[in-house]
């Protein structure tokens, strides 16, 4: 009888000692794992933010250079003359400098080409948003579209041409293929699953590391959670689950011109 009581006591004492020793160890282990998990996530968020900032800065620099080149073109005397014979050499010269622009051209106030940097016949652009914006006097208008000359996804910048009395007399434009734009600004893959891409103010893809998103048609990503956050003007970190039940971590930055940069990577990676 005494042996049974003594054995039971020793068992309980052993269990008690184990609990006293193991509980702090387990608590420390859990704390370390929790801290490690938070540290990994913080590192992931910082890396996404760094990539997004880099892409945003590159896009802003590229866009600023494009806008300045266009505005300079629109005020050149040969362009202001609205004489096709004088405009053509100026457009051709600019195309030789800005090789990423596949078309540099002017139109009259009806939207019909006056001169072009290529040898194509004059085209009517009266229905294009970029023409309507410039014809209304907006300093810069941007439009993502399927090029009427190239037949491929492109982005067009336009600016009004004014005479010496500041009267609107025409429109100047430059156009860049979206595949070329992606190469110019550095829309890249990150790791195994990460993507860095650029959308316009309506959520259409402007630059993407996957050629399928910019080579054949305009791709609408306005329903993408990170794009929606960006275009609302908020940006920052966002976690979301896609239609294939994959969890993603993203960082987005809204740009001053209405465009948005998004960098995303799967939570698993």
């Amino acid at each position: 009888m005494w042996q049974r009581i003594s054995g039971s006591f020793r068992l309980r004492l052993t269990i008690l000692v184990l609990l006293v020793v193991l509980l702090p160890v387990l608590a420390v282990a859990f704390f370390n794992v929790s801290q490690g998990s938070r540290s990994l996530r913080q590192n992931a968020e910082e890396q996404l933010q760094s990539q997004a900032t880099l892409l945003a800065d590159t896009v802003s620099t590229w866009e600023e250079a494009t806008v300045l080149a266009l505005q300079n073109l629109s005020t050149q005397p040969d362009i202001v003359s609205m004489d096709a014979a004088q405009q053509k050499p100026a457009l051709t010269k600019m195309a030789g400098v800005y090789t990423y622009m596949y078309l540099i051209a002017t139109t009259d106030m009806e939207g019909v080409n006056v001169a072009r940097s290529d040898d194509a016949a004059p085209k009517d652009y009266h229905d294009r948003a970029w023409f309507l914006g410039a014809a209304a006097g907006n300093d810069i208008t941007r439009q993502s579209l399927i090029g009427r000359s190239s037949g491929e996804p492109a982005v067009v910048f336009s600016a009004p041409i004014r005479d010496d009395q500041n009267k609107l007399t025409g429109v100047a434009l430059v156009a860049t293929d979206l595949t070329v734009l992606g190469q110019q600004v550095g829309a890249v893959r990150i790791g195994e699953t990460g993507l860095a891409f650029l959308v316009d103010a309506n959520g259409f893809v402007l630059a993407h590391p996957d050629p399928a998103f910019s080579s054949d048609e305009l791709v609408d990503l306005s329903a993408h959670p990170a794009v929606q956050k960006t275009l609302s003007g908020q940006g920052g970190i966002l976690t979301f689950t896609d239609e294939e039940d994959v969890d993603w971590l993203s960082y987005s930055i809204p740009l001053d011109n209405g465009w948005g940069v998004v960098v995303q990577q799967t939570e698993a990676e």
Side-chain angles (χ1 to χ4, degrees), residues 181-256:
L181 174 57
Q183 297 168 353
Q184 288 277 314
V185 301
V188 297
R189 293 190 180 278
I190 302 167
E192 295 295 326
T193 64
L195 301 168
F197 60 92
L198 172 69
V199 296
D200 71 7
N202 295 310
F204 286 107
V205 173
L206 289 175
H208 198 284
D210 185 346
F213 282 78
S214 59
S215 59
D216 298 320
E217 60 182 357
L218 289 177
V219 177
D220 185 358
L221 289 185
S222 59
H224 187 293
V227 171
Q228 290 181 337
K229 182 178 177 68
T230 307
L231 298 184
S232 71
Q234 299 178 41
I237 285 289
L238 177 70
T239 57
F240 64 93
T241 302
D242 67 16
E243 63 277 3
E244 296 179 356
D245 208 30
V246 176
D247 295 325
W248 293 84
L249 180 64
S250 69
Y251 194 95
S252 57
I253 299 176
L255 304 182
D256 292 340

Side-chain angles (χ1 to χ4, degrees), residues 156-172:
V156 175
F157 290 71
S158 65
I161 300 172
R162 301 177 184 272
D163 63 16
D164 294 338
Q165 283 72 48
N166 204 37
K167 178 184 176 182
L168 284 168
T169 57
V171 171

Side-chain angles (χ1 to χ4, degrees), residues 123-134:
K123 298 186 184 300
D124 184 351
Y125 295 107
H126 76 277
D127 57 336
R128 292 295 205 185
W130 60 258
F131 168 75
L132 296 172

Side-chain angles (χ1 to χ4, degrees), residues 44-62 185-188 190 195-198 230 234-237 250-256 260-264:
E45 292 179 358
E46 289 175 352
Q47 289 176 15
L48 291 181
Q49 181 178 359
S50 177
Q51 290 286 346
T53 301
L54 176 61
L55 179 55
D57 289 345
T58 304
V59 170
S60 296
T61 299
W62 177 89
V185 301
V188 297
I190 302 167
L195 301 168
F197 60 92
L198 172 69
T230 307
Q234 299 178 41
I237 285 289
S250 69
Y251 194 95
S252 57
I253 299 176
L255 304 182
D256 292 340
V261 162
V262 175
V263 178
Q264 65 180 51

Side-chain angles (χ1 to χ4, degrees), residues 83-183:
D83 181 338
Q86 294 185 51
Q87 288 185 346
K88 178 71 173 180
L91 299 179
T92 303
K93 181 180 180 180
M94 182 172 172
V97 175
Y98 296 91
T99 56
Y100 65 86
M101 301 175 183
Y102 73 83
L103 176 63
I104 305 170
T106 59
T107 75
D108 58 23
M109 291 303 292
E110 300 299 321
V112 178
N113 275 145
V114 175
R116 301 169 58 99
S117 60
D118 61 15
D119 296 322
K123 298 186 184 300
D124 184 351
Y125 295 107
H126 76 277
D127 57 336
R128 292 295 205 185
W130 60 258
F131 168 75
L132 296 172
N138 296 326
D139 291 339
I140 293 292
T141 303
R142 307 164 185 83
Q143 184 184 8
S144 308
L145 44 70
I146 300 299
R148 195 157 287 170
S149 300
S150 67
E152 298 177 350
V155 59
V156 175
F157 290 71
S158 65
I161 300 172
R162 301 177 184 272
D163 63 16
D164 294 338
Q165 283 72 48
N166 204 37
K167 178 184 176 182
L168 284 168
T169 57
V171 171
L173 71 103
V174 298
T176 299
D177 180 271
L178 293 191
T179 300
V180 174
L181 174 57
Q183 297 168 353

